[in-house]
Amino acid sequence: MQQEDHYRRTLSDITRQQNEQLQALFRRSEETEKKFLAFQKKHSDELAERKRILTSELFILKKELTTALAEKVALEERVKNFSMMDRENLNLRNQINDLRNDMSKLRRSMQEEMMNQIQEARTEQDEKDEESGFVVFVRGEGGNKSIKAATPEKLVERHTIPANFYFDILGRNLLQLIISKITIKDVDSIAQNPMALRVVNTLKHWMENYWGDFSSDPELLSDISTFIESLGDSNLGGILKTLTNSEISIVKIQETPPKPILPKLLIKRYSLAEQHTSPVGTSFVVPSSPLSRGPGSDSGSSLIATPSSNQIINNISLSQASLVKPSWGFKINKIPEVIEESRLKFIDIDPLEMARQITIMESRKELLDLAWMKDDKEIKAPNIMRMSRWTNHVIHWLISEIVSIKDNLKLRAQVYEKIVMLASYLEKLNNFNGVKEVLAALQSSSVYRLKKTKELVGIKYFKIYEDLTKATSSELNFKNLRSKVHAAEPPLIPFPGVYQGDLVFLDTCNKNKMDGNLVNFHKFQKMATYILELQSYQKKKYVLESVYEIQDYIRNYSVLDDDRAYNFSLICEPRA
């Protein structure tokens, strides 16, 4: 019984505990359900709001999509229209191109017809002129003909003066012939006159390319000025007036010259002189007494006129003034005695700087009409004659520098080497005239016989000498030298003997006037070709600084004549 009661109590406790747990579970379930219902109620409002917003946005998107579709349709319609317009434009362009091609063909056809008519008229006129003896033609390959000779009137009448015709051959006479082709009565009608246009174009070409003819001839300049004034304020007169009122020159950017290589003596000279100087920009004054004398100073003056240094500075030629003023200059108020007594020596001067100074000083003109060979050559060709004297001076100066060193064989060989390097640097500077001068000195009998001296000269110097000799050889009419000159870039100084030889040959083999008193146009045309080639090399100036002491040294050197130089050579190396 007790055990049964125990089981009953135990079962009753278990049942009670389970009931309590079930009730707790029910309460928690009810609370959870309440919370869920509350959460559901709360979020259902938010979902409804979100749904309302999404619905509104969807409506807007649908509206925008409808608008975009409408725009797409409109755009497709416009593209379709543009495609049609492009096709129409393409057709129009093709029609325009066809029209242009037709017009070009028509223009070419008209030009060909016009040229044929002109050629026929020209041929007919040529035949008449040739039959009359006014013009002589020469026919080349392919049947092409050119004027060989003609009267001056016919040359102007034909108005076919080529670009390489040298206008100065006829000078004022040519100008009068050209101007006489038109009669100035009504300035307003001048511009409508084709002949007037051709005359003005010819004068314009003359003035642009050969202004030196006018600047060197006051009468010619006066004649052209009078003609221009007669044109008044017309367009044609304005064209020529612009040319006369401006300098016919090419303005170039000034290059920076290389810094001079000064001998130690000059560096010391300037250093001492700075203590007695006052700065004056780029001006420079040197003492009037020459810095050096050559071995022949006791025999009189040198071969060329040599003004004092102050005169050289104060009377610098245009070619030198167009270079660059020395940037290392200053004005010397007082020269210390030690400086005035100093003498510049050949061995102290760098051969490159010596080549530069020689190049600055060399120039030439007046090749026309063989003026340098006439009785009045000093008047008609002063620069050529001065150049000839200068060339002789340079040759004798270099010979004197070598043979004047009598007792020092090694020093004489060093001077020889330095002169070879001088020629090498002159070639690098494209001063081929200077190269020929140096080689002429080395090939003179007074220097060529100095075998012991040349035995001490380095092999490389003989190699330079041989190369320069071959390059400037007179074989085959200076073939190598001509090729070298034509291949060189200006500025350069050609050897004038080449062109003088050409002009002598041309003048000797051809007359100025042919039968019938016709101008030998072919001769003057060839002569112009030689002269213009030489002038073309002078258009670009050397950009170098002048060292007037070195120039003075070369200019004022009292050289030995041929006999004395040879006697000095015998003293240096007596005959075996």
Side-chain angles (χ1 to χ4, degrees), residues 87 103 133 185 251 266 298 410 497:
R87 285 195 295 271
M103 290 179 64
K185 295 180 179 179
V251 179
L266 292 185
D298 57 341
K410 185 176 180 181

Side-chain angles (χ1 to χ4, degrees), residues 60-165:
I60 294 172
L61 288 175
K62 287 180 178 180
K63 187 176 180 180
E64 291 178 351
L65 180 61
T66 302
T67 304
L69 290 173
E71 291 178 352
K72 178 184 177 183
V73 173
L75 184 60
E76 290 176 348
E77 188 67 24
R78 290 176 63 186
V79 170
K80 183 178 179 180
N81 293 335
F82 278 131
S83 298
M84 294 176 64
M85 291 177 63
D86 286 342
R87 285 195 295 271
E88 292 177 358
N89 289 338
L90 180 61
N91 294 332
L92 183 59
R93 282 196 296 269
N94 291 334
Q95 292 176 5
I96 292 174
N97 289 333
D98 293 340
L99 182 59
R100 285 177 178 172
N101 293 333
D102 293 340
M103 290 179 64
S104 298
K105 292 178 181 179
L106 179 60
R107 187 183 296 110
R108 284 195 298 270
S109 176
M110 293 176 64
Q111 288 177 348
E112 290 175 0
E113 183 178 356
M114 186 182 300
M115 292 302 297
N116 290 334
Q117 293 176 358
I118 293 174
Q119 186 62 36
E120 290 175 0
R122 175 59 58 81
T123 302
E124 182 180 353
Q125 185 63 41
D126 289 347
E127 292 175 355
K128 290 181 180 179
D129 290 340
E130 198 167 15
E131 289 176 0
S132 303
F134 296 144
V135 181
V136 175
F137 295 97
V138 352
R139 287 168 175 78
E141 297 180 359
N144 296 327
K145 64 180 181 180
S146 58
I147 296 178
K148 180 178 181 180
T151 62
E153 293 78 12
K154 282 297 177 182
L155 286 173
V156 175
E157 180 184 308
R158 291 173 61 82
H159 223 68
T160 55
I161 301 173
N164 62 347
F165 183 77

Side-chain angles (χ1 to χ4, degrees), residues 294-301 396 399-400 403-404 406 446 558-572:
S297 59
D298 57 341
S299 61
S301 60
H396 285 84
I399 294 173
S400 301
V403 301
S404 62
K406 304 172 185 177
S446 299
S558 186
V559 300
L560 299 169
D561 59 30
D562 291 334
D563 292 337
R564 296 191 67 206
Y566 197 80
N567 290 334
F568 273 49
S569 175
L570 291 174
I571 296 174
C572 293

Side-chain angles (χ1 to χ4, degrees), residues 312-434:
I312 293 171
I313 300 295
N314 295 329
N315 299 287
I316 300 175
S317 66
L318 287 177
S319 61
Q320 292 177 359
S322 65
L323 299 176
V324 177
K325 292 183 178 180
S327 58
W328 36 265
F330 42 76
K331 182 177 180 180
I332 302 176
N333 295 328
K334 181 180 179 181
I335 305 298
E337 294 181 1
V338 65
I339 297 179
E340 288 196 348
E341 295 175 357
S342 300
R343 292 186 179 181
L344 203 59
K345 296 180 181 179
F346 181 89
I347 199 69
D348 297 328
I349 305 174
D350 187 278
L352 173 57
E353 191 56 45
M354 196 179 302
R356 290 171 179 170
Q357 300 309 311
I358 291 174
T359 298
I360 290 174
M361 293 187 285
E362 295 192 346
S363 62
R364 59 202 55 80
K365 292 180 182 178
E366 294 113 3
L367 290 174
L368 187 63
D369 199 30
L370 306 186
W372 75 92
M373 298 176 65
K374 306 298 183 183
D375 292 337
D376 54 352
K377 56 190 176 185
E378 294 292 347
I379 298 175
K380 289 189 174 180
N383 289 327
I384 287 292
M385 298 310 300
R386 190 180 301 115
M387 188 62 201
S388 179
R389 290 193 297 272
W390 167 258
T391 296
N392 290 332
H393 176 77
V394 171
I395 293 172
H396 285 84
W397 158 55
L398 295 174
I399 294 173
S400 301
E401 289 285 5
I402 295 175
V403 301
S404 62
I405 305 174
K406 304 172 185 177
D407 303 324
N408 193 331
L409 181 61
K410 185 176 180 181
L411 179 60
R412 190 160 61 245
Q414 290 176 355
V415 170
Y416 189 100
E417 292 175 347
K418 203 151 204 172
I419 291 176
V420 172
M421 289 308 300
L422 170 62
S424 177
Y425 285 125
L426 286 169
E427 184 208 20
K428 288 180 172 62
L429 288 168
N430 291 336
N431 185 351
F432 300 102
N433 182 67

